[in-house]
Amino acid sequence: MSKPSISRFPTPEIADLPEDIRERILAVQEKSGFVPNVFLVLARRPDEFRAFFAYHDALMDKPGNLTKAEREMIVVATSNANQCQYCVVAHGAILRIRAKNPLIADQVAINYRKADITDRQKAMLDFAMKVALEAYAVGESDLTALGLHGFTEEDVWDIAAIAAFFGMSNRMANVTNMRPNDEFYMLGRT
């Protein structure tokens, strides 16, 4: 059986990409040992690639009250709600690594309410899911509930921005039929 294509759209050759994008992809390959398919799929449109990863990095790599693992929890839970196979698998791997827990990503993806996470993290994910699925219904009571768990106004913004950004990402991954790299499935499990 032949391996499925990583996207229903053509993907460029790394050698043919603008230098800044090629350098970023090769740096990721050197660090992880492979090129995540999202880089190749989005690289077909260099300006959008740059904008996507600039916003991704601004949300996911910034210091703050949300840990990097908690940021990944938001991605995994909301990506599952959006039925995004690529993001659940890829960010599930990152979550397992950042949380140093081989079980957490599967628990969060399947049903975060039953996952072995804190009440604070469950409140965070409740809000993230509301943003992902019914942002029109977000109100002051949601912010008050998060405040009771110690989340600041900036934390609330971060949670909402991550859920919203990955909603876009999930939709593009689904439209492009982006396939998760096989390498993601085992990362952080042992």
Side-chain angles (χ1 to χ4, degrees):
M1 183 162 94
S2 66
K3 189 173 182 172
S5 173
I6 66 168
S7 173
R8 67 172 36 106
F9 293 89
T11 55
E13 294 296 323
I14 294 173
D16 298 335
L17 293 170
E19 184 177 350
D20 62 315
I21 294 174
R22 185 174 57 251
E23 286 176 4
R24 177 160 186 161
I25 290 172
L26 293 175
V28 168
Q29 181 180 35
E30 185 174 323
K31 182 177 179 180
S32 65
F34 65 100
V35 177
N37 290 339
V38 66
F39 286 89
L40 299 174
V41 172
L42 296 182
R44 72 186 306 270
R45 291 189 165 193
D47 289 342
E48 292 170 32
F49 176 100
R50 291 179 188 104
F52 178 93
F53 283 106
Y55 196 40
H56 171 279
D57 295 350
L59 291 172
M60 301 303 286
D61 295 336
K62 70 183 284 191
N65 293 325
L66 298 179
T67 67
K68 287 187 176 189
E70 288 171 335
R71 292 169 192 275
E72 295 297 338
M73 281 182 199
I74 295 166
V75 178
V76 171
T78 60
S79 294
N80 181 58
N82 291 323
Q83 299 184 44
C84 181
Q85 182 187 55
Y86 184 90
C87 291
V88 170
V89 172
H91 288 274
I94 299 167
L95 173 55
R96 287 190 298 273
I97 291 166
R98 292 201 165 148
K100 296 177 177 55
N101 180 339
L103 307 179
I104 193 68
D106 294 334
Q107 292 177 355
V108 168
I110 294 166
N111 185 349
Y112 72 90
R113 291 172 193 88
K114 296 180 189 242
D116 296 326
I117 59 177
T118 67
D119 288 341
R120 176 183 176 277
Q121 291 165 337
K122 286 178 184 164
M124 172 189 77
L125 294 178
D126 283 342
F127 179 67
M129 293 295 279
K130 190 168 189 178
V131 171
L133 301 174
E134 51 182 350
Y136 60 85
V138 170
E140 288 303 315
S141 62
D142 297 300
L143 281 63
T144 300
L146 289 168
L148 294 174
H149 288 279
F151 290 105
T152 67
E153 193 174 76
E154 294 305 309
D155 299 333
V156 172
W157 185 285
D158 286 344
I159 296 164
I162 293 165
F165 174 78
F166 279 94
M168 183 272 297
S169 179
N170 297 159
R171 284 158 181 76
M172 288 306 295
N174 279 329
V175 168
T176 62
N177 197 34
M178 194 182 304
R179 303 290 302 176
N181 302 66
D182 291 346
E183 292 88 344
F184 282 127
Y185 288 95
M186 295 309 294
L187 286 175
R189 292 200 187 270
T190 55

